[in-house]
Structure formats: structure tokens, C-alpha cells
Amino acid sequence: YYQCNIFDKQSKDGEHATEEKSRLRAKHALDKYMFYFERFMDHDRGMKLTVREEQDIEGKVQTLHDKHGFEIIELQFLYDALRQVRVCRRVLKWTYVYGYYLEESSDKHLFEHLQKNLEEKVDALHEMLERDFDQIFFSDDSNLATGSADAHAKFMDFRSHATNFTNVTQKFMVQIIHDLGCEGGLSTARSASAR
């Protein structure tokens, strides 16, 4: 078998190892970029989805008003919750840009933890507005009689839960924005707010 002398010499000189390390660094940089970019775009799409969903909510509000006699003002919480989801998605979208440039440290781990918690809350609120609300009032399984006391009780319970969850999500979003804006970093902001 033929053995290439150039390869052997380059291997002995470590040129292939250097090229391989360079290639792996470039692949890692690309993988990191794609990770953050995909999440940035996911939240951008989620934000745009809330704009379309707001039109759907208008129809649902009218149906609830007509079918169960709920006042339009009583249904304002649906718009408020959806707008909160939109604002949080915008914040989350840009936290991925922030996270991309954040160096590996304890601050980065804390940041990723806060980011994950906000994402979970936003996803849960969004799902509550999409799935849970429809399941209670618009599914085929819904046995709520038009204008019944049961319908009103379920509505009041859902409204209370959704309003509380919207407020919690908003407070969490405001806190992460505040913490990211602190001069000394996240660890400093967290220890200062704990006092």
C-alpha cells in the first residue's frame, strides 16, 4: 500500500491537529449561533401568532357575550393576557441575543435559569388561553347550558386563574428585565433584591 509522506510529515508537525481544532471551533460557533437564532425566531413567530389570535379572541368574546350573556368588559382579561404573552415573547426573543453574547459564568447560568422560568410561564399562559379556554367554553364536550349558573361559575374561576397567572407572568418579566439592566450583573441584582 502507498503511504503519503506529506500527510505523515503534516501529522508529525501537528498541522492536521491545528486544522481539526480550527474546524471544531468553527462548528461549535455555528452550532451556538443556530441554537440562539432558532429560539429567537421561535419567539418571533410566537409573538406574531398572538396578533392573529387576537382576532380569534374577538370572535370568541362576541360568542360568549351572545351565548352566555357575559359583558364585554368582563372578557377584557383575555386581551390583557394575550398582550402579556406578546410582550413576554418580545422580551424572550431579545434575551436570546443577550444570552448569545454572555460569557460562560455563574451569571450566565442564573440568566439561563431565569430565562427558562419566564419561558415556562409564558408558554403555560399561552396554552391556557388557547387550549384550556377553548376546552371549557368551545369544545364539543362542553356541557355548559346557555346562560347557566355553572357556565358563569366556570367563567369566573377561569378569569380569576388567568388574571392571576397574567399578573405573575408580568411581574416575573419585569424582574428579569430589571435584573438584566443592573450594572453589576445578575448575581449583584439578585443579591440586592433579596435584601
Side-chain angles (χ1 to χ4, degrees):
Y1 296 108
Y2 178 74
Q3 188 174 7
C4 180
N5 293 339
I6 296 172
F7 180 80
D8 286 343
K9 183 175 179 347
Q10 288 175 344
S11 292
K12 287 178 186 174
D13 293 342
E15 290 178 28
H16 286 295
T18 305
E19 288 175 13
E20 183 65 18
K21 286 179 186 173
S22 176
R23 187 186 68 73
L24 287 174
R25 274 195 306 274
K27 182 183 179 327
H28 174 71
L30 180 61
D31 289 345
K32 177 182 174 184
Y33 175 80
M34 290 306 296
F35 173 85
Y36 286 96
F37 178 75
E38 286 170 4
R39 279 147 188 84
F40 177 92
M41 292 307 295
D42 287 344
H43 286 293
D44 188 59
R45 281 187 292 274
M47 200 173 73
K48 290 174 182 171
L49 178 64
T50 62
V51 173
R52 289 191 303 270
E53 288 174 342
E54 196 163 345
Q55 295 168 350
D56 294 342
I57 283 185
E58 287 177 18
K60 291 174 183 178
V61 162
Q62 191 61 48
T63 301
L64 287 174
H65 174 69
D66 295 344
K67 185 176 178 183
H68 296 287
F70 299 134
E71 294 298 323
I72 300 292
I73 195 71
E74 286 182 296
L75 300 161
Q76 181 63 38
F77 78 95
L78 294 168
Y79 295 106
D80 296 341
L82 193 61
R83 287 183 187 123
Q84 186 61 51
V85 168
R86 185 179 311 133
V87 169
C88 286
R89 294 252 185 241
R90 182 179 300 119
V91 168
L92 282 166
K93 177 173 90 167
W94 290 104
T95 63
Y96 278 99
V97 174
Y98 183 88
Y100 177 79
Y101 290 103
L102 196 58
E103 294 296 323
E104 199 64 42
S105 66
S106 60
D107 271 3
K108 183 162 186 162
H109 296 294
L110 178 58
F111 165 75
E112 288 170 342
H113 175 75
L114 296 172
Q115 183 185 47
K116 178 183 169 217
N117 284 340
L118 180 58
E119 267 182 318
E120 288 170 353
K121 285 173 182 35
V122 171
D123 288 343
L125 180 59
H126 203 174
E127 189 171 309
M128 181 190 306
L129 292 173
E130 287 181 330
R131 192 194 67 203
D132 298 351
F133 182 68
D134 285 351
Q135 197 171 25
I136 294 170
F137 294 102
F138 295 101
S139 73
D140 295 334
D141 300 337
S142 179
N143 297 333
L144 299 176
T146 302
S148 71
D150 186 37
H152 193 265
K154 284 193 184 244
F155 169 76
M156 293 304 284
D157 185 50
F158 180 81
R159 184 175 81 170
S160 174
H161 185 63
T163 301
N164 289 338
F165 207 82
T166 300
N167 291 335
V168 166
T169 304
Q170 179 184 24
K171 285 179 183 176
F172 201 87
M173 180 201 68
V174 167
Q175 187 63 49
I176 196 172
I177 290 171
H178 174 268
D179 290 352
L180 289 176
C182 282
E183 196 170 308
L186 287 171
S187 300
T188 306
R190 281 280 143 181
S191 61
S193 66
R195 289 183 206 153

